[in-house]
Amino acid sequence: MFLPKCDLSQLIHTFECGFPPLHSSFLDGFEDYGPDCDNMRVTAFLDIPGQDNLPPLTRLEKYAFSENTFNRQIIARGLLDIFRDFSNNEEDFLMVMEIVVRLSEDAEPTVRTELMEQIPPIAIFLQENRSDFPVVLSEYLIPIVVRYLTDPNNQVRKSSQEVLLILLEQDLIFQHDIENKVCPILLQLSAPDSDDEYKAEAVSIICKMASMLSKSTVERLLLPRFCELCGDGKLFQVRKVCAANFGDICHAVGQEATEKFLIPKFFELCSDAVWGMRKACAECFTAVSHSSSPGVRRTQLSPLFIRLVSDPCRWVRQAAFQSLGPFISTFANPSRAGLYLREDGALNIRPLTQDFNSGFASGSPAPSSGGNTSPASLTSSAKPVQREPELPVEGTSAKTSNVPHIGSSSDGPAENPVESSVSAGAELTRLSPETSAFPKLSDNNDFPISSYPGSDSWACPGNSEDVFSHFLYWRTPLPDISKDLELLLSEAGPQEDYCSRPGVVHNNCVARSEIQKVLDSLQEHLMNDPDVQAQVQVLSAALRAAQLDSVNEPESKPTAGLNEVSISDPSSASDNQITLSASSSQNELFVARILQSTDPGEPRNGTSDHLETDQRQDPTLLEENESKLQDIIPQPLLDQYVSMTDPARAQTVDTDIAKHCAYSLPGVALTLGRQNWHCLKDTYETLASDVQWKVRRTLAFSIHELAVILGDQLTAADLVPIFNGFLKDLDEVRIGVLKHLYDFLKLLHEDKRRDYLYQLQEFVVTDNSRNWRFRYELAEQLILILELYSPSDVYDYLMHIALKLCADQVSEVRWISFKLVVAILQKFYSNSESALGLNFINELIIRFRHCSKWVGRQAFAFICQAVVSKECVPVDQFVEHLLPSLLSLASDPVPNVRVLLAKALRQMLLAKAYFRNAGNPHLEVIEETILALQSDRDQDVSFLYGLK
């Protein structure tokens, strides 16, 4: 019997009313009833007695294998409900599972897709309700998922891939099934002779599931095939998927397997002829670096990244520059930078002295010691930040007290003092805050390091009458001069004898010859590559410093000690002073590793002479290059990073390259440490004055984090001027400063912090008066800022801002401002400033209780309610000064004011025992007010209070 023709709504209505389906065509359009029948099961028709008089399971089987495709779809879509109905009976459950298996072989792709989408909820249900869940999942459901991975229909395969990843993510597939059912089919699909489409899908699944499997499983079963697919020469889509997910695979297999198997493949992908491959490699470079050792990161990945930055394809360069900052951050080492992040995200200062021995053992120079690593200035693990001692004023003479003792250690070579001038030390002190203290390494062979205070005198270890200046102290230990130091300690002879040793002369000559060879090899690329030009300048400076150090006057004064150097050529004295002054900067770390002795130099070739002549004529260029040198990260990476502010980069790489530079700058600064802030200072200032407001906005949002990294001294010197500029910028930039205003101000000294009291009033004025969220954020920040200032400062400056915000046109701003008023009152009374609190209360009464606008009087009621709730004012003060004005609102002509008064009395005042006490002199007035509100002519007021 067929139904007469009718529209879909009539069919759905008929089904909802409980009439049985008379024909399978009745189910057409069944899927549309769902939104209107949330409580109705998809397979509810199985419970309705039909004319066929079949039991539910038989009816289920009938519709599951009906000739009508939509019937089978409905059964597949309602499998979860079916399992809920039939899971209690074991026979029924097994029969349902057999139906599911048969239904999975349906010829219609839509049925198979519907079935696959139901497997994750079914698996979760079975896990919660079946004790034999592992067996059921392994024998029935997993084979369906695996078989669908090879389904000829694309939509079915996509569904099975998603379901597989969901089951793995929920940890519903057991290890045995992963190794014996899932991985074999993936390896089969990704085989070299497999179909291209299947292969691309298989490698995508392998990459996605790698992070969900155990390390041993990935390394044993999937890693060989992944390495093979990385070199697939037939289909570039396969290689691109491998490149895009390379970092995830590295993370899954760990450092050892990454360096042994994956790094060589990564080099191949970074050199792929298809630019999309190289771009994908640039995007995942940071993830690969995280899974590599520091040595591989520095010696292999860094040069490889420089190649990507210089790639001929603009899109590759763009991706590389976007990843440059994050890649640099992978070099972060707390033992060298002195800063590390705790698990809770707080920044801590770590003593560099803890890792001196480990630094010596690794062959890398130990980190520079400084003021922030002094025990007196270090914070404990419970305190994220602590102020540092004040920096010496540039140009002043060095202090001569508290001479540290540096001795040789039995575990490694000791530090070697290297001569430096006072002027260079003063410049270094200005750039770095770490020159106020030095760690003490105790040993039996301690000796004082002393120096003359004059700018033309040299450090002379061994002379106790010499005065020490830490400006002249070579702060970074050199790991390869222990034998020379032992010689000094044992013989303490004149430097002429030491310099005359043939071994020292030979080593120095070899080092300089190596530098010269590198310079010669770079000459052919000098005119085409700015990076090569920078390297040539650095190497030339190193060679010149070595040759100048080797110039010794034969009649050197014996009182000058071991490190005395005389200038034989008066005409070049100024040049020597410039070079030697600069040698005390971070550049000398590079120079000292190459040249350690003072041997007479070899003749220079023409190219080197030409470069050094240019530098002698323009010493400013040399000083600028030296100010960017450090040894935390490879120098070419830093050079490329600071070049991101070059306007030419925006034209040849990406118009947003400056924004990417600004975004990653705090991470780069954290990696370099505050002792190398001078490398980034100019870059930061350039970004802060960028013409694009979104670049300045990025800096404004992170300036508080950078202040934590730099410490209070560098913050006051370098960040405060930029912070002041952001305060006067566009609202889009100012909001970044405002959102973290408290975080920044709390890092400043009290005198610097007070300078901003008057400027806080400028935040009330915005470019667009409709930008109410700006004023809302100001009120939130002021609540936090109150703790940074004294009660008198709060009264003189912040109180007036709060009163102005309480009268804002936007209600959201007013409500948050009422909380600010309560916080101010609490500030006054918690600091025993009752006079200031009383004055503020009187101001509130004048401005709000007697306000001509009903909104102001309503605000007064809310403030009184909040005061009682927070108990920020003593009860006697509240009763005497605020309660009479509050109760007088009962006669207010505006019902909204009386409604809020009723709420305040009912929810707050009468909830306090004091106001219900018979001894309260205002109890009678309160009761009269309550009666008046109960009989109020406005129904809302009387109804609200009548609920009591």
Side-chain angles (χ1 to χ4, degrees):
M1 180 178 178
F2 293 92
L3 287 173
K5 290 186 178 181
C6 59
D7 59 18
L8 179 62
S9 60
Q10 291 176 333
L11 288 175
I12 295 176
H13 175 73
T14 303
F15 185 84
E16 291 174 349
C17 293
F19 295 104
L22 301 179
H23 191 268
S24 59
S25 62
F26 174 84
L27 294 175
D28 292 339
F30 179 80
E31 61 179 351
D32 293 331
Y33 83 92
D36 299 326
C37 305
D38 295 335
N39 298 325
M40 197 171 186
R41 294 187 299 111
V42 177
T43 56
F45 65 93
L46 296 176
D47 302 330
I48 304 174
Q51 293 182 354
D52 49 17
N53 295 322
L54 296 176
L57 272 178
T58 306
R59 189 180 298 114
L60 169 65
E61 189 173 6
K62 173 185 175 182
Y63 287 112
F65 306 109
S66 170
E67 294 181 359
N68 189 301
T69 302
F70 195 78
N71 287 359
R72 304 196 302 273
Q73 276 187 263
I74 291 299
I75 295 298
R77 188 179 305 171
L79 281 178
L80 179 60
D81 291 333
I82 294 174
F83 275 103
R84 287 172 177 167
D85 293 339
F86 297 103
S87 62
N88 295 328
N89 186 284
E90 189 66 22
E91 294 183 2
D92 293 347
F93 174 78
L94 293 177
M95 185 175 179
V96 170
M97 290 303 305
E98 292 296 335
I99 293 176
V100 170
V101 173
R102 290 176 58 190
L103 191 64
S104 67
E105 300 172 355
D106 196 286
E108 178 60 38
T110 57
V111 176
R112 301 198 300 273
T113 302
E114 291 284 358
L115 172 62
M116 184 53 52
E117 292 176 353
Q118 296 303 313
I119 285 184
I122 291 174
I124 295 175
F125 171 78
L126 295 179
Q127 183 187 34
E128 297 173 350
N129 297 275
R130 298 282 301 187
S131 59
D132 59 345
F133 165 73
V135 177
V136 173
L137 184 71
S138 178
E139 293 184 359
Y140 293 99
L141 299 183
I142 295 300
I144 298 176
V145 176
V146 171
R147 187 171 72 251
Y148 280 8
L149 292 175
T150 60
D151 195 275
N153 184 269
N154 181 66
Q155 185 61 37
V156 176
R157 291 200 310 273
K158 294 296 183 183
S159 299
S160 65
Q161 294 166 14
E162 295 176 3
V163 168
L164 176 61
L165 295 177
I166 292 175
L167 295 178
L168 288 172
E169 186 178 7
Q170 298 293 329
D171 200 20
L172 296 175
I173 304 181
F174 297 93
Q175 185 68 23
H176 179 271
D177 292 332
I178 293 175
E179 296 185 1
N180 296 280
K181 295 181 179 179
V182 177
C183 289
I185 191 64
L186 292 177
L187 295 177
Q188 176 185 341
L189 293 175
S190 59
D193 57 348
S194 176
D195 182 80
D196 291 345
E197 187 176 3
Y198 287 171
K199 184 188 297 185
E201 294 175 354
V203 68
S204 178
I205 300 174
I206 290 175
C207 295
K208 292 178 181 178
M209 65 184 288
S211 60
M212 308 175 191
L213 305 181
S214 63
K215 175 183 175 182
S216 60
T217 301
V218 177
E219 188 172 352
R220 179 166 43 89
L221 299 177
L222 302 180
L223 181 59
R225 178 54 53 85
F226 179 81
C227 294
E228 181 181 344
L229 293 171
C230 287
D232 188 290
K234 181 180 179 183
L235 198 65
F236 81 92
Q237 289 90 342
V238 173
R239 301 197 308 276
K240 187 172 183 180
V241 173
C242 292
N245 297 275
F246 209 93
D248 295 334
I249 300 295
C250 292
H251 178 74
V253 300
Q255 177 179 314
E256 182 178 355
T258 295
E259 297 180 356
K260 184 177 181 180
F261 301 107
L262 294 177
I263 292 298
K265 296 298 180 181
F266 192 62
F267 270 75
E268 295 178 6
L269 291 173
C270 289
S271 304
D272 198 281
V274 180
W275 67 267
M277 227 71 63
R278 305 194 301 274
K279 179 177 180 290
C281 290
E283 293 171 345
C284 71
F285 212 98
T286 302
V288 176
S289 179
H290 275 298
S291 301
S292 305
S293 64
V296 171
R297 186 182 302 128
R298 180 176 290 269
T299 59
Q300 298 184 36
L301 294 183
S302 296
L304 181 62
F305 193 89
I306 294 299
R307 284 169 48 188
L308 293 176
V309 169
S310 306
D311 195 272
C313 178
R314 175 172 183 169
W315 306 113
V316 178
R317 296 197 305 272
Q318 178 177 330
F321 273 109
Q322 291 181 15
S323 301
L324 178 55
F327 174 57
I328 290 177
S329 67
T330 62
F331 287 84
N333 185 354
S335 64
R336 306 202 64 194
L339 300 168
Y340 72 100
L341 290 174
R342 295 204 316 248
E343 293 182 358
D344 59 355
L347 189 66
N348 267 29
I349 302 175
R350 176 174 179 173
L352 303 186
T353 56
Q354 294 178 358
D355 295 275
F356 265 23
N357 292 336
S358 63
F360 292 153
S362 64
S364 61
S368 303
S369 60
N372 68 328
T373 61
S374 174
S377 63
L378 291 173
T379 62
S380 64
S381 60
K383 298 179 179 179
V385 179
Q386 185 169 341
R387 293 191 180 94
E388 309 168 67
E390 288 293 338
L391 285 174
V393 180
E394 181 181 3
T396 60
S397 61
K399 301 288 183 180
T400 59
S401 60
N402 299 329
V403 179
H405 289 69
I406 309 297
S408 62
S409 173
S410 59
D411 297 333
E415 301 180 5
N416 179 35
V418 177
E419 61 273 16
S420 177
S421 64
V422 173
S423 60
E427 174 66 13
L428 186 60
T429 303
R430 182 183 66 81
L431 294 172
S432 174
E434 291 78 19
T435 58
S436 59
F438 295 91
K440 180 178 180 181
L441 302 179
S442 60
D443 197 18
N444 297 330
N445 297 326
D446 293 352
F447 65 95
I449 299 178
S450 56
S451 65
Y452 293 116
S455 60
D456 56 349
S457 59
W458 308 98
C460 180
N463 292 343
S464 59
E465 68 274 10
D466 293 337
V467 182
F468 170 75
S469 170
H470 59 258
F471 287 143
L472 313 182
Y473 178 61
W474 177 258
R475 301 177 302 149
T476 301
L478 303 175
D480 55 343
I481 59 172
S482 58
K483 294 182 180 180
D484 300 335
L485 183 57
E486 292 174 2
L487 178 64
L488 296 177
L489 293 174
S490 60
E491 298 181 1
Q495 187 176 0
E496 290 81 355
D497 296 339
Y498 171 71
C499 294
S500 64
R501 296 179 64 88
V504 177
V505 175
H506 175 71
N507 292 336
N508 186 37
C509 294
V510 171
R512 283 184 296 158
S513 64
E514 292 178 353
I515 297 178
Q516 191 61 60
K517 290 179 181 179
V518 175
L519 280 172
D520 295 340
S521 65
L522 294 176
Q523 293 307 312
E524 59 184 71
H525 307 286
L526 184 61
M527 302 303 296
N528 299 326
D529 195 337
D531 298 329
V532 174
Q533 295 175 5
Q535 295 176 17
V536 167
Q537 292 172 359
V538 173
L539 290 174
S540 300
L543 184 61
R544 174 167 174 74
Q547 291 170 338
L548 288 176
D549 287 344
S550 67
V551 180
N552 291 327
E553 188 176 357
E555 299 81 22
S556 49
K557 299 180 181 179
T559 59
L562 295 174
N563 290 331
E564 182 181 69
V565 177
S566 300
I567 305 299
S568 58
D569 186 2
S571 63
S572 61
S574 60
D575 295 333
N576 291 328
Q577 289 179 358
I578 292 174
T579 306
L580 291 173
S581 173
S583 67
S584 66
S585 67
Q586 296 278 340
N587 186 29
E588 198 158 351
L589 296 174
F590 175 75
V591 176
R593 290 197 187 108
I594 303 175
L595 304 172
Q596 294 295 334
S597 60
T598 54
D599 170 63
E602 296 179 348
R604 313 175 194 175
N605 60 27
T607 303
S608 178
D609 286 339
H610 176 71
L611 291 174
E612 292 172 6
T613 301
D614 293 342
Q615 292 167 359
R616 185 182 299 109
Q617 294 174 353
D618 188 9
T620 305
L621 179 61
L622 177 60
E623 293 177 357
E624 291 178 354
N625 292 332
E626 289 169 344
S627 67
K628 299 295 190 298
L629 295 178
Q630 43 71 50
D631 65 336
I632 301 294
I633 63 174
Q635 188 62 36
L637 290 179
L638 182 60
D639 294 340
Q640 292 290 347
Y641 180 78
V642 299
S643 73
M644 293 174 72
T645 59
D646 188 350
R649 294 289 192 191
Q651 299 178 1
T652 59
V653 179
D654 184 9
T655 55
D656 289 334
I657 189 172
K659 182 182 178 182
H660 297 304
C661 180
Y663 181 81
S664 58
L665 194 141
V668 177
L670 178 63
T671 302
L672 295 178
R674 60 183 62 171
Q675 70 270 21
N676 291 310
W677 166 242
H678 58 276
C679 299
L680 297 174
K681 178 183 175 182
D682 294 342
T683 302
Y684 191 79
E685 292 176 350
T686 302
L687 292 172
S689 58
D690 195 278
V691 295
Q692 300 182 76
W693 63 264
K694 56 185 177 182
V695 176
R696 305 194 303 275
R697 174 186 169 92
T698 303
L699 294 182
F701 270 94
S702 63
I703 192 171
H704 67 290
E705 297 288 358
L706 189 59
V708 176
I709 295 172
L710 298 184
D712 55 356
Q713 295 182 8
L714 288 175
T715 296
D718 299 332
L719 296 189
V720 166
I722 295 175
F723 182 83
N724 294 338
F726 288 158
L727 293 179
K728 303 174 183 178
D729 212 314
L730 301 175
D731 284 351
E732 289 80 2
V733 179
R734 296 170 71 203
I735 188 63
V737 174
L738 180 59
K739 276 186 174 293
H740 303 284
L741 187 59
Y742 166 77
D743 297 324
F744 185 84
L745 292 180
K746 72 178 181 181
L747 300 174
L748 303 180
H749 286 290
E750 185 176 355
D751 55 343
K752 278 283 185 183
R753 195 184 300 147
R754 293 195 77 253
D755 295 341
Y756 291 96
L757 279 171
Y758 182 78
Q759 298 184 39
L760 291 175
Q761 302 179 20
E762 299 177 2
F763 280 109
V764 181
V765 181
T766 58
D767 298 338
N768 184 1
S769 60
R770 296 182 179 180
N771 189 9
W772 61 268
R773 290 181 178 85
F774 196 93
R775 301 188 296 276
Y776 183 93
E777 188 66 40
L778 173 61
E780 282 192 327
Q781 287 295 311
L782 288 178
I783 295 175
L784 301 174
I785 289 173
L786 291 177
E787 70 176 53
L788 303 178
Y789 295 102
S790 64
S792 59
D793 288 337
V794 172
Y795 183 84
D796 293 337
Y797 297 96
L798 304 185
M799 184 188 75
H800 302 288
I801 302 177
L803 292 174
K804 189 171 184 178
L805 292 174
C806 286
D808 196 89
Q809 296 180 354
V810 180
S811 61
E812 289 292 333
V813 178
R814 295 198 300 271
W815 295 125
I816 189 65
S817 302
F818 299 155
K819 297 179 181 180
L820 173 60
V821 167
V822 172
I824 293 176
L825 287 172
Q826 190 169 11
K827 175 80 173 180
F828 290 154
Y829 284 99
S830 62
N831 288 274
S832 302
E833 295 288 348
S834 301
L836 297 179
L838 181 58
N839 292 339
F840 190 30
I841 289 175
N842 292 332
E843 189 72 22
L844 292 174
I845 295 174
I846 295 173
R847 289 204 179 199
F848 297 103
R849 169 58 190 91
H850 302 293
C851 181
S852 59
K853 297 182 179 179
W854 69 269
V855 175
R857 301 192 297 274
Q858 186 187 51
F860 182 78
F862 183 86
I863 292 174
C864 292
Q865 179 180 352
V867 166
V868 175
S869 175
K870 298 296 182 180
E871 297 181 351
C872 59
V873 175
V875 177
D876 57 338
Q877 294 282 325
F878 178 84
V879 169
E880 180 180 356
H881 301 290
L882 285 175
L883 185 59
S885 299
L886 176 63
L887 297 179
S888 65
L889 292 176
S891 59
D892 194 276
V894 180
N896 285 349
V897 178
R898 302 197 302 274
V899 165
L900 197 56
L901 172 62
K903 288 182 179 180
L905 290 176
R906 180 175 179 270
Q907 298 176 3
M908 294 297 171
L909 290 182
L910 296 183
K912 304 293 181 181
Y914 177 83
F915 296 102
R916 299 194 307 268
N917 192 348
N920 184 1
H922 296 273
L923 181 60
E924 183 178 352
V925 180
I926 294 176
E927 293 177 348
E928 293 178 356
T929 304
I930 293 174
L931 293 175
L933 293 174
Q934 288 177 341
S935 59
D936 194 275
R937 62 184 180 274
D938 187 270
Q939 293 183 356
D940 293 332
V941 178
S942 59
F943 175 78
L944 178 66
Y945 213 89
L947 295 176
K948 183 65 179 173

